[in-house]
Each structure stands twice: as C-alpha cells, then as structure tokens.
Amino acid sequence: MSETHGYEEKKADQPADQTSSIEKGPVHDYVVQQADNRYRFDAADLDRVQRKLKQRHVQMIAIAGTLGTGLFLGSGEALSVAGPLGALLAYMFVGTCAYASLCAVGEMTSHAPISGTFPHFAARWVDPAFGFAVGWNYFYTNAVSVPVEISAAGVLLTFWDSNLNHQAGYTAAICVCTCAINIFGVRWFGESEFAFSIIKIMLITTLIVTGLVIDLGGAPNHERLGFRYWRNPGPMNTAGLEPQNPNLDRLIALLSVIVQAAFSFQGMELVAVAASETQSPRRNIAKAVRRVFWRILLFYILGILITGMVVPYNDPDLLGAATNAAQSPYVIAMTRAGIKVLPHIINAGVFTSAFSAGNSYLYCSSRVLYGLALRGQAPKILTYCTKSGLPLVAVLTASAFSLLSFMNVSAGAATVFNWFVSLSTVGGFFGWLSMNITYLFFYRGLKAQGIDRKKLVYYSGLQPWLSIWGVFWITIFILINGLTVFWAFNASDFLTAYINIPFFIALYVFWKLYKRTKIWKPLEMDFVTGIPTIEETELPEEKPTTFWGKVAAVLF
C-alpha cells in the first residue's frame, strides 16, 4: 500500500453534471494523493450510470422495497418455532441491528453517493482486500436471493393452480419478467418498484388492521381473542432439545429464529446501493434512512405482535407443509374467523411482494458487480454501459442466476437449492457486519483528518455506539446461526450454517496476497477523490404549493 504524500489542492474546472454518476467529475479540494493507482479511487473512472431515480422512487423503495415472503410467510415459521413473545423479541433484536447497519451505510453514502456503495467504502476506508471480500460476498448473497424469491412467487401460484406440472412454466414467465424490468433500465425498475411498494404497504396495513379487528372480536364469528394465545399455549415455545431444562430450551428456540427474522429484514440497504442512480441522492437518502425506524416499528414489530395474537404457535395449519398463502398466519386467522374472500387477495399481494423482492435483489447484485468491476476487482467487461446508463453486461450476468430457480422444480435439485437459500441468508449477516466495521473506520478517519461529520446532509447522533452494537451482535448471530446442529449433528446442515465464514476469509486472503494490500491508517483514508460536492449532485428543492403536493411531500 502506498504512503500518504500530503494534501494537494485541486480546482474544479468543469461544470457540474447532475444527471450522471459523479466518478466522471473533477477531483476536488484536499485530496489525499495516492502514488499507487491499483485501487482506482481517481475521478477519471469508467462509471457511466445516470441519475434517473426520483424522490418518490427512493422513498417507496426505502419503505417497502424488499418486503417479501420473509415477512408475510416467514413470520408464521418464526411464530411456530419460538412462540409469540419469542418471535417478537427476535424481530425486535434483529431490527436494532438492521437499523444500526442502515444508519451506518446511510451516513457514509451521504458523504459519497457513488457506484460500488459499501463494498467500495470498505475498500476505500478499511482495506482493499476487505472491500473485495465484502463485494463478492454481497453479490453472491443478492444474486442467489433472486431465484429464491422467483421460486417463492411460483409456489404461491399453487394456491390457485395445484398442478405441479405447470410449475416450470410459471417459473419461466416470472424469470423473463424480472430480468426484462432490469434490462429495460433503472427508470423501469424505479416505476415498477414504486407500484409494487404501494401494493405491499396496502397489504401489510390491511393485514395488521384485519388482524386487530379479528383479535377484538370484529370478525363474522364475533369471538374476541385478546392475548388468549399468550396464556394458552403460552408466550414462548420450546425447541425440544433440552427437555430437562425448559428455560434453556426456550432460549434455544428464540435464538434459532434469528436467521429467519434476519431474512425478513434483508435488503433494507437497497436505497444506498441505488445512490449513484438517484437524483439529489444526499437529500433523498437522508429522508429514507430517517423513516426506516418507523418502517421497522410499524411493519415488522407491530406485524409480528398482531400475528402472535391471532394464531397459536401450535396451530396445525401453521406447522403444515403449505408454502403459499395458506401458511400465512393471517390467512389461518381469517379462515378460522369465517372471512372467505381475503385469503385470495392476500395470496395475490404476497405473490407481488415476492416478485418485487426478486426484482430488487437482481438490481442490487448487478450494481454491486458493476461497482467491483469499476475498481478492477471484477472483469473489466462488466463496466460496459449503454448510452442510457444501463450496466448491461453486469445486469445480464446477474440475471443468469435467476435460472437457478428451475432447480426447485426438480425434487433432487431442490435440496441443493435449499443450501443456496441458507448460504444467502448467512451472507446477509456479513453484509451488515461489514457496513458497521467500515463505519467505525470511516468515523475514525474523519475525526483524525478534522472533517466534521455533522456537516453531512445525514448523520446519526447515536454513532459510533450504534455500529459498535451492530458489530458485536451481528458477530454473535453469525456464530450461533447453526446452533441447533450441535444437538443433532448433520454435516450438510453444519456446512450450510458456517461455510460462509471460511469463504469470506478466503476472499479476503486471496486479494490481500494478490495485491499486497494493507489496512488504511486514519490519515491515509481518501475522503475526496472521485466524490462529488453537494452542488454537483443536489437539485434545488421545490416546495409544494398545492394541498396534494404537500401530502405527497409528507409521504414521499
């Protein structure tokens, strides 16, 4: 790694371009000059994506972008394993770590809204080898999540068509639609996610309100439930692994749903990934991150609370093998209460959410791959962009992973596919961990170089304690995610739970030896090169003058 050669002032002699990503812009004041150009932090980059996502797109993506089957169906699995209180505690606990991670990446993105997002931040402010490992791990995590959600969407259609011979046709149609939206460009992606997010918000709101009505006795059977199921069968389930010690058994059940809860939260950082293609990214991402706390509280925590009030954790339908809306705790509660029409509407909504989540994961994986290629950490051909700013080769490469969804059609290949699913979930933990570790380096570097982070468009007053909390607990999550395998050891389950750890380390060591990198010292960190000024990225904010304009400003 090169040593710091001091600060050299450079003048910006080009007009600001607010429609394109700013790596094409000039070098700005007080750049830490790096003699070694292996790390490609310079402004004269290959980046050609364009800022086409508008404020309403970003805000809706932030609120509901990756709400998928993990919340709508996975909450039922969490309830059956840990009970209502156990599931609630797990979602609250994981929610704090998800919030810490998003605050961390939000603040760093507020400083540098550029392609490559947090894997590039890791390379720029921690260690290029760390950025390489983070980037490829995150690409894999999102790329494999695409066929996971496509398969889930296909299975949801069995609610209406139980003929499994049609499954391959449904999967193919969903694959084509998902890939087409991303190939048509970021504007199509933004509009589709805007529409899907509205549907998902309406769905989760309807489920919560309907669940509350059922609980209070407003359903056709007029049976008031209250907290009946918290008393019988009880607030927490047992794992059945330590029958002699019920309290330990309940703790094991609680810990075992941590991964399920994390899958529900996965992808919340999508707004940061989209920063290089967002208009006025600093202002819009600041708004989005500030609203995430309420998203977690209202959609996840309130949703899981209502779930535990309307369905007992030992309900036979909850424990059944159904993988469509019939497994949803809300559908079970509605069926019990005599409501017949809503289950079909819910299945349609959950199908939409699965399709939307697959769409979002494909976008994420392609942009992270593109960012890696820009910095020489992936083949250069992946940097190719069309005239409209679409990283076409990266999108096509990521789209190829959608074909893995056909493995779920075959009974033999389904087992291998389930391994991919588990690996992608654990990989998400590494993504969150890297965001918090990178933030702590970022915080230390700003302080050492005398840069006031409070002058950023977005900063969190709870930092660095939020990231310290995140690093500690996410590390624990990674270590305990395969906890139950130690009671009934199974080699495949053990590998699925822990193979990500040596995989991540191998990526880090490979790039470290290949490029002979070192960890950046605080005074060596580059906070300026290739990063735009506020004037380059932020458009003038237009104040609404009409009533509906003001309503839209509050919502979006």
Side-chain angles (χ1 to χ4, degrees):
M1 177 169 299
S2 57
E3 294 298 322
T4 305
H5 287 264
Y7 294 93
E8 180 179 333
E9 187 173 352
K10 293 194 175 264
K11 299 290 185 182
D13 56 4
Q14 300 176 11
D17 180 1
Q18 292 171 323
T19 62
S20 61
S21 187
I22 59 77
E23 270 93 345
K24 296 177 287 185
V27 180
H28 306 297
D29 295 347
Y30 306 115
V31 181
V32 179
Q33 295 297 311
Q34 300 292 341
D36 193 333
N37 65 0
R38 288 177 294 172
Y39 308 127
R40 304 201 183 177
F41 298 161
D42 60 311
D45 219 323
L46 300 170
D47 199 357
R48 293 292 179 270
V49 296
Q50 297 176 10
R51 300 191 186 278
K52 293 184 177 180
L53 288 177
K54 298 179 181 178
Q55 177 174 318
R56 61 186 176 86
H57 298 144
V58 175
Q59 299 310 316
M60 293 305 285
I61 288 170
I63 294 170
T66 48
L67 285 179
T69 53
L71 176 63
F72 295 117
L73 300 184
S75 58
E77 183 180 343
L79 175 64
S80 68
V81 173
L85 179 59
L88 180 64
L89 291 174
Y91 272 74
M92 289 174 67
F93 201 35
V94 175
T96 63
C97 295
Y99 181 66
S101 304
L102 196 67
C103 285
V105 77
E107 189 169 321
M108 292 186 290
T109 304
S110 180
H111 176 74
I114 55 180
S115 285
T117 186
F118 65 90
H120 174 56
F121 301 157
R124 183 185 277 255
W125 299 319
V126 181
D127 181 345
F130 186 62
F132 177 82
V134 170
W136 279 104
N137 173 78
Y138 192 70
F139 164 71
Y140 164 80
T141 298
N142 282 274
V144 172
S145 295
V146 175
V148 170
E149 293 293 349
I150 289 174
S151 294
V155 171
L156 284 163
L157 294 177
T158 60
F159 189 76
W160 297 296
D161 183 358
S162 58
N163 189 338
L164 295 180
N165 293 327
H166 298 163
Q167 195 66 31
Y170 290 140
T171 300
I174 297 166
C175 275
V176 169
C177 292
T178 303
C179 297
I181 288 173
N182 279 269
I183 290 169
F184 287 153
V186 71
R187 187 168 288 164
W188 280 74
F189 170 77
E191 294 298 347
S192 65
E193 283 306 299
F194 180 76
F196 290 145
S197 293
I198 290 175
I199 293 171
K200 287 190 280 188
I201 290 170
M202 291 171 64
L203 174 63
I204 189 64
T205 303
T206 301
L207 292 179
I208 290 172
V209 171
T210 305
L212 194 59
V213 168
I214 292 172
D215 186 71
L216 296 176
N221 64 0
H222 300 296
E223 184 181 6
R224 190 178 186 280
L225 300 175
F227 281 88
R228 176 189 303 178
Y229 299 132
W230 285 57
R231 293 188 296 272
N232 181 28
M236 295 188 75
N237 196 5
T238 56
L241 299 174
E242 288 288 341
Q244 304 300 322
N245 191 337
N247 290 330
L248 176 60
D249 214 25
R250 291 188 185 97
L251 177 62
I252 295 168
L254 169 62
L255 295 177
S256 66
V257 300
I258 290 289
V259 173
Q260 173 59 52
F263 185 69
S264 302
F265 286 99
Q266 194 171 312
M268 295 182 75
E269 62 282 352
L270 174 58
V271 286
V273 176
S276 65
E277 296 178 87
T278 301
Q279 294 177 1
S280 302
R282 290 179 166 99
R283 184 170 66 243
N284 285 322
I285 288 171
K287 283 183 182 178
V289 173
R290 290 188 184 108
R291 292 174 178 177
V292 163
F293 174 80
W294 299 108
R295 167 188 167 179
I296 292 173
L297 188 65
L298 292 175
F299 294 162
Y300 289 89
I301 307 306
L302 183 58
I304 202 74
L305 173 64
I306 298 295
T307 297
M309 292 167 64
V310 296
V311 178
Y313 68 72
N314 59 356
D315 189 291
D317 287 341
L318 198 65
L319 304 173
T323 49
N324 53 35
Q327 187 192 21
S328 169
Y330 293 100
V331 172
I332 294 170
M334 289 172 193
T335 304
R336 298 273 189 278
I339 302 173
K340 298 179 180 179
V341 179
L342 274 178
H344 292 273
I345 298 173
I346 291 171
N347 197 68
V350 176
F351 170 81
T352 302
S353 74
F355 181 86
S356 168
N359 194 29
S360 296
Y361 288 132
L362 179 53
Y363 174 84
C364 266
S365 58
S366 64
R367 292 331 188 255
V368 168
L369 189 61
Y370 175 70
L372 286 168
L374 286 177
R375 273 86 198 187
Q377 294 181 327
K380 188 175 179 179
I381 191 173
L382 294 167
T383 62
Y384 173 76
C385 266
T386 63
K387 290 181 180 179
S388 61
L390 174 71
L392 183 60
V393 179
V395 171
L396 291 174
T397 303
S399 297
F401 280 79
S402 66
L403 299 176
L404 290 174
S405 55
F406 287 99
M407 294 176 70
N408 218 28
V409 177
S410 164
T415 303
V416 179
F417 182 73
N418 289 331
W419 291 345
F420 284 135
V421 174
S422 300
L423 287 172
S424 70
T425 306
V426 180
F429 281 140
F430 278 93
W432 287 359
L433 180 64
S434 68
M435 293 175 207
N436 288 287
I437 290 174
T438 303
Y439 179 82
L440 294 176
F441 276 76
F442 169 80
Y443 180 89
R444 188 175 62 144
L446 288 181
K447 194 172 182 179
Q449 295 186 26
I451 301 172
D452 185 2
R453 53 185 279 273
K454 293 184 179 179
K455 291 183 179 179
L456 297 173
V457 176
Y458 171 78
Y459 77 93
S460 172
L462 298 176
Q463 293 286 20
W465 305 109
L466 266 181
S467 285
I468 292 171
W469 170 273
V471 167
F472 178 78
W473 285 113
I474 294 167
T475 302
I476 299 296
F477 293 165
I478 290 171
L479 295 176
I480 67 168
N481 86 87
L483 184 69
T484 55
V485 78
F486 295 103
W487 273 265
F489 188 81
N490 178 289
S492 64
D493 290 344
F494 178 81
L495 286 173
T496 300
Y498 294 108
I499 194 68
N500 260 81
I501 298 175
F503 175 67
F504 188 88
I505 293 171
L507 287 171
Y508 177 77
V509 171
F510 164 72
W511 200 253
K512 197 162 194 61
L513 295 177
Y514 179 58
K515 289 289 186 179
R516 298 177 179 269
T517 69
K518 293 181 182 177
I519 296 173
W520 296 109
K521 296 175 183 177
L523 291 175
E524 292 177 339
M525 296 178 190
D526 187 343
F527 291 105
V528 182
T529 305
I531 295 174
T533 61
I534 290 179
E535 291 74 19
E536 284 178 292
T537 61
E538 308 305 296
L539 299 169
E541 188 170 11
E542 297 179 7
K543 299 291 184 182
T545 55
T546 64
F547 171 76
W548 290 112
K550 291 176 181 178
V551 171
V554 172
L555 294 176
F556 308 132

